Amino acid sequence: MPDDAIPERLDRALARAFPDVSRARLQDLIRSGQVRRDGAVVLDLSVKVGPGADLSVTIPEAAPPTPKAETLDLVVVYEDGDLIVIDKPAGLVVHPAPGHESGTLVNGLIAHCGDSLSGIGGVRRPGIVHRLDKDTSGLLVVAKNDRAHKGLTEQFADHGRTGPLERVYRALVWGVPEPRVGTIEAALARSQRNREKIAVVRDESGREAITHYHVEEVLDPAGLVALVRCELETGRTHQIRVHMSHRGHPLLGDAVYGSAFKTKASRLDEEARAALQALGRQALHACVLGFAHPRTGEELYFESPLPPEMTALMDSLRR
């Protein structure tokens, strides 16, 4: 505090010194022991501080708001006291984030599971072990207690290399990948040009990413679209979308990684174009999820059929 300052209440002195912090926030900091005068904690808001006083304030990072329970129509595939498996529809965000503070899977799970999710995996991501993009549909497992969260997290971190973890997706891609059965090994990192995108990189900044694929069906006589089964050996953000685009076969409907292929749609017939427009998202579905139960060790295996909007698109391409 300046030597020529007039003695005043502690909270007022701090309000002048920290004009960007509200007075109410400063008062809370005083009450919680975050303010020191001459090295000693001060808890009295009205204590007078005079010339030469050495004041210090610790301003902790604001804690994220706790997501609120919201009743959602969740498709529960399996549930017990340790975990729950959900078949997530496209359009549902998994956990709260800026711009998506409500209406997420986490909000629905809090309402469905009650207090059992509290604190597991963090306030904003309670119980979440892995995630699916907003516009990717399919199977997702959530832990309901700390033991389950630890066991499932370890399995996903191991990528199934020493256990039964299995994650399989089906995707509709432009063109027909060659060879028709193969493995894509290409490290991924946040794009330097667009921080919202993931990119294949060849330096140390990349994280190992491996996708095994095989073409299940060529859906039209011209070879414009193929149904591809993708099995993850690793589980990086946007991995399948980026890997297939990197190979020159981006997913249908992928506005982020397949924008250069928009003209391909003009080669589809009217019915197929309408079905692609009705899909309104990347054609990607998490169809298989297998793992060891984190408490019993039992191997669990789940399958999810392709959603109607994807099958409708496939049917229109076959004609």
Side-chain angles (χ1 to χ4, degrees):
M1 193 170 182
D3 289 338
D4 60 351
I6 300 173
E8 59 184 330
R9 283 171 54 108
L10 175 60
D11 56 347
R12 291 176 182 167
L14 291 177
R16 284 196 306 101
F18 298 93
D20 294 333
V21 182
S22 71
R23 187 168 174 183
R25 172 75 166 137
L26 289 168
Q27 290 173 340
D28 287 340
L29 292 171
I30 296 170
R31 294 188 186 100
S32 61
Q34 303 297 328
V35 176
R36 293 176 179 268
R37 181 182 64 175
D38 300 328
V41 173
V42 183
L43 300 175
D44 185 355
L45 308 180
S46 61
V47 67
K48 300 286 186 172
V49 292
D54 180 13
L55 299 177
S56 63
V57 181
T58 301
I59 303 179
E61 292 187 14
T66 302
K68 300 189 184 314
E70 297 178 36
T71 301
L72 301 180
D73 187 17
L74 301 177
V75 179
V76 178
V77 176
Y78 173 87
E79 182 176 11
D80 61 22
D82 297 298
L83 57 88
I84 182 170
V85 177
I86 300 293
D87 198 339
K88 186 186 89 66
L92 179 62
V93 175
V94 171
H95 54 77
H100 296 285
E101 296 294 340
S102 63
T104 71
L105 177 61
V106 163
N107 297 111
L109 287 169
I110 292 172
H112 181 87
C113 301
D115 293 337
S116 69
L117 290 178
S118 179
I120 304 166
V123 173
R124 301 282 282 183
R125 298 168 53 98
I128 300 300
V129 178
H130 65 120
R131 59 182 289 271
L132 299 176
D133 296 335
K134 172 190 173 186
D135 290 327
T136 297
S137 54
L139 297 166
L140 181 143
V141 61
V142 177
K144 295 172 69 174
N145 54 55
D146 287 320
R147 179 175 180 173
H149 188 268
K150 180 176 184 295
L152 290 170
T153 298
E154 289 173 351
Q155 290 185 63
F156 277 83
D158 182 59
H159 304 302
R161 287 166 175 159
T162 61
L165 181 69
E166 186 175 0
R167 299 174 67 187
V168 179
Y169 294 70
R170 282 191 171 93
L172 297 177
V173 305
W174 290 111
V176 183
E178 294 290 349
R180 296 199 179 190
V181 177
T183 297
I184 303 171
E185 295 188 50
L188 303 178
R190 188 70 60 180
S191 171
Q192 295 299 312
R193 295 181 178 179
N194 183 344
R195 300 302 292 175
E196 295 184 359
K197 296 178 67 174
I198 304 298
V200 169
V201 296
R202 294 177 173 82
D203 57 33
E204 294 181 354
S205 66
R207 301 181 70 190
E208 179 188 37
I210 302 172
T211 304
H212 306 286
Y213 73 89
H214 80 259
V215 176
E216 290 191 325
E217 182 183 357
V218 179
L219 288 162
D220 64 297
L224 284 174
V225 179
L227 173 65
V228 179
R229 179 183 175 96
C230 297
E231 184 170 354
L232 295 182
E233 185 170 325
T234 58
R236 309 304 180 199
T237 300
H238 299 177
Q239 178 173 315
I240 292 172
R241 298 166 63 191
V242 178
H243 272 178
M244 296 312 297
S245 179
H246 177 64
R247 278 292 183 90
H249 301 282
L251 276 59
L252 272 68
D254 192 338
V256 177
Y257 301 106
S259 58
F261 280 66
K262 285 182 179 179
T263 55
K264 285 274 191 181
S266 65
R267 297 178 60 187
L268 302 177
D269 64 29
E270 184 177 351
E271 184 180 354
R273 288 199 304 272
L276 177 56
Q277 185 174 6
L279 177 69
R281 63 175 178 99
Q282 67 261 10
L284 184 63
H285 180 71
C287 59
V288 171
L289 179 61
F291 54 90
H293 193 286
R295 180 173 54 83
T296 67
E298 177 188 1
E299 293 188 13
L300 302 177
Y301 180 89
F302 305 97
E303 289 192 54
S304 170
L306 289 172
E309 64 271 21
M310 278 187 69
T311 58
L313 176 55
M314 291 167 61
D315 288 343
S316 70
L317 290 163
R318 291 188 182 111
R319 292 173 185 153

